[in-house]
Every structure is written in structure tokens, then in C-alpha cells.
Amino acid sequence: MHRFVPGLILVGLASVASGASGAAIDSRQQAFAHPQQLVDIGGRRLNLYCSGAGSVTVVFDAPSSEAGWSWHAVQPEVAKRTRACVYDRAGLGFSDPSPLPGTSANAVADLHALLAQAGIAPPYVMVGSSYGANNVQLYAYRYPDEVKGLVLVDAPHDDETDRLDKVSQGKLKKAMAPMDAFMRQCAQAGQRGWSLGAEGFVNCTGGTGELYGRELAAARLATMTRPAYWQALVSQMDGVDASAEQLKAARRSYGDLPMVLLVRGISPYAVPGQPQSALNNATEAEHLAMQKELAAYSTRSSVRVVPGAGHVIQDFKPDAVVRAVDDVLGQLGR
């Protein structure tokens, strides 16, 4: 889990970002509200949804607490140009849980097995948001012949927590502690089993808001009543340091791999309705500096700040993600 930006809290904030009508939302999201292709990767199944056709497949990996439906406003648009696939990591969405720790290395191994078993051959352009951005980077390092482009959506930096804590004069880790405790309380309750009407369930899940239509909102919340969901989330939280080390150990140049990095334009630390403080501005400047450092691993990269978008950029500005994917595909001549 991206420790200093808890995924569930951000999803709750992001869920008020869409003002589209319920009918239009339901129509676009229908395919994401139920399992599509449940692929056996060795005694357990992962949910995969692909549409579109093309010589390059775009593969999406979601933030820590979310399933493939995080891309409901992006994947259909990309599928108009080429094949586009979303999947649910183990224990999330409609996928079976895994007995293995929730680390990036295990997520990458699962995704590699999933694509092979489903017959989704490379080349791939991989798109990852937050925790998912770590996963797709590690995938590109482990399987460089398969990945021909990357889109990183507000990706964590390997040393982000320590660096942002330093620039915030120690306030970041102080703020993280109660948020981490809150998430673990939610997880403890969830592992005992939630009911939809239980006290605290909305606070822990973000509720429905306006981001999801009726059908997908119901499906999403139903998966969050299952103990397996919370077990997977806790496993990701416990594995966050190991995941960061796995990526750091793999770090090297991507060469001239086409890569676009999208960066939030709205700070998750800002107080709504109030000007950003000097300290907050410094924190966001450091975040942007770290994005530029990630971009430097490729000679064909660009960094784009997305105005009006929070951490989960695909919730706020899905068109910005679609444009980034289109640009990478264009660089590949596709």
C-alpha cells in the first residue's frame, strides 16, 4: 500500500469527482461490474477483462485498494485503438486470494502467468497507478522483451516516504501513523466480516459517491464485505517495504523505452478550500522532483502535471491517461 496516501481514503475523496448521470455511468461500467474471464494460474483464478484489437496490448494495473474497475473510464477509450486489458490482483475484485505475501514481485509473477495462460501475447504497453505503477515498472525490468512502453500515473518514488517526511519537517510520518492505524482497524473489522449496513463501513470503503453507477457501486462494495479483500489489503500494507526494495534492487536504465509520467495537480495534503501552505508547496515540489528522477531512467520520457487531478488521476481526469497511452502508442507507430 502507498503508505502516505491511503488508497481507500483517496478513493472516498475521488468518488465525488464525477458529475455524469447515473444512466450514462451504468452503461459505461457494465462490463466491470461482474467477472469476465476467470483464468486459472495454478489452482487459483484471476479476473481478466480485455476488449479491442491491435498488435500491441495495453495492460492496466490499479492502485493498492482497487480492482480493474479503477480503469472503467479509460480502458474502453483505449480499446477503440488497440486491445486493452484490466485485471484484478489476487484477493481484490473478482480474483481469488493468494497464499503468498502481497508484494510487487508476487503481483508481477501473477500478471505474467495470467497473460500467458490467457494467450495475451506481447508486446505490451503497461499502465500503472500508485502501487500499480510500482508493479508495472518491476514487470518491465523482469520482462524487458515484452514491455514496449510505460505510463506511470502518480507513481511512488523508491524513497518517497523518507524524502517527503524530511521536506515536511517530520509532519508526514506523524500524519501517517493515525491513517495507518485507521486502515488496520478497518481491516480487522473486515477480516471478521462486514455487512453493508455496518457502522463504519462507509468510512472504511469510501461508500458509493458519484464515481460509480449503481451496478458497479454495488459490485465494488460487495467485494469489500469479504474477509479475503481485507486480508489482501493488509498483506499489501505489510509488504510495502519489501515491494519498494524489490523495485529499487531492479533499478537500471530503461534505455529509450517510451514512457509518460502523469503527476497529480492537487495535493492530497492540502486542506480543501484553503490556500496551500509553504510547507505543502515544498512537499509537492519534492514530489514533482522525484517524478522527474523516475523519468530520467528513460531517454524517451515526459512528465505531465495534470491540473485538477488528485492522486488517483484516472478518477479525476481519465482523458489525461487516455492521451498519455495514445502518445506512447504513437511513438511505437501503432
Side-chain angles (χ1 to χ4, degrees):
M1 185 164 198
H2 198 13
R3 288 180 296 176
F4 56 90
V5 187
L8 286 175
I9 295 173
L10 282 174
V11 167
L13 294 174
S15 64
V16 300
S18 172
S21 70
I25 290 175
D26 279 334
S27 175
R28 292 196 303 266
Q29 296 178 358
Q30 188 175 11
F32 300 88
H34 53 83
Q36 290 284 336
Q37 184 179 1
L38 293 172
V39 180
D40 192 317
I41 62 167
R44 55 189 174 89
R45 304 171 303 166
L46 298 181
N47 180 48
L48 176 70
Y49 170 53
C50 298
S51 62
S55 57
V56 174
T57 297
V58 179
V59 180
F60 295 86
D61 201 345
S64 60
S65 62
E66 286 296 297
W69 55 57
S70 180
W71 304 104
H72 66 84
V74 175
Q75 187 270 351
E77 295 302 312
V78 173
K80 294 176 182 178
R81 180 167 180 171
T82 192
R83 180 163 55 182
C85 298
V86 301
Y87 83 110
D88 301 339
R89 287 191 302 273
L92 305 180
F94 305 107
S95 290
D96 294 336
S98 171
L100 302 174
T103 64
S104 287
N106 286 329
V108 166
D110 277 2
L111 180 55
H112 189 256
L114 170 66
L115 294 171
Q117 287 297 112
I120 309 297
Y124 309 127
V125 167
M126 294 204 150
V127 185
S129 173
S130 191
Y131 177 78
N134 278 0
N135 296 345
V136 299
Q137 289 178 86
L138 187 60
Y139 195 107
Y141 283 131
R142 294 200 169 179
Y143 305 103
D145 293 338
E146 298 182 5
V147 180
K148 301 306 179 184
L150 286 173
V151 176
L152 307 182
V153 182
D154 216 40
H157 186 278
D158 306 347
D159 302 315
E160 188 156 348
T161 300
D162 289 337
R163 286 176 60 173
L164 291 186
D165 190 60
K166 181 178 180 180
V167 78
S168 69
Q169 300 173 13
K171 292 184 178 180
L172 178 62
K173 289 185 177 179
K174 288 182 180 178
M176 284 169 47
M179 288 192 292
D180 186 75
F182 171 74
M183 293 307 301
R184 290 183 182 278
Q185 289 172 3
C186 291
Q188 289 172 2
Q191 289 180 81
R192 293 192 297 268
W194 279 109
S195 63
L196 288 174
E199 183 179 358
F201 182 72
V202 170
N203 291 335
C204 287
T205 62
T208 58
E210 297 179 2
L211 184 64
Y212 304 105
R214 181 179 301 174
E215 186 176 359
L216 182 52
R220 174 180 172 271
L221 292 179
T223 68
M224 292 180 179
T225 64
R226 300 200 303 258
Y229 168 84
W230 297 97
Q231 290 163 2
L233 190 57
V234 168
S235 188
Q236 282 183 176
M237 293 171 68
D238 290 341
V240 68
D241 290 333
S243 294
E245 289 302 317
Q246 289 161 0
L247 183 54
K248 187 181 292 188
R251 279 287 179 215
R252 61 186 183 274
S253 172
Y254 292 114
D256 63 352
L257 184 77
M259 184 164 67
V260 176
L261 294 89
L262 300 180
V263 187
R264 63 187 183 239
I266 299 175
S267 171
Y269 316 116
V271 178
Q274 296 185 19
Q276 287 195 151
S277 67
L279 197 58
N280 188 240
N281 286 332
T283 300
E284 290 306 289
E286 183 72 4
H287 177 68
L288 179 58
M290 288 186 285
Q291 297 297 304
K292 293 177 179 178
E293 290 175 13
L294 294 178
Y297 285 106
S298 171
T299 60
R300 296 173 68 189
S301 63
S302 63
V303 177
R304 305 175 185 177
V305 176
V306 184
H311 176 59
V312 189
I313 294 173
Q314 64 270 24
D315 286 353
F316 293 86
K317 300 289 182 180
D319 289 350
V321 184
V322 176
R323 284 194 297 272
V325 175
D326 281 345
D327 289 348
V328 169
L329 290 171
Q331 290 186 63
L332 298 175
R334 308 305 171 102

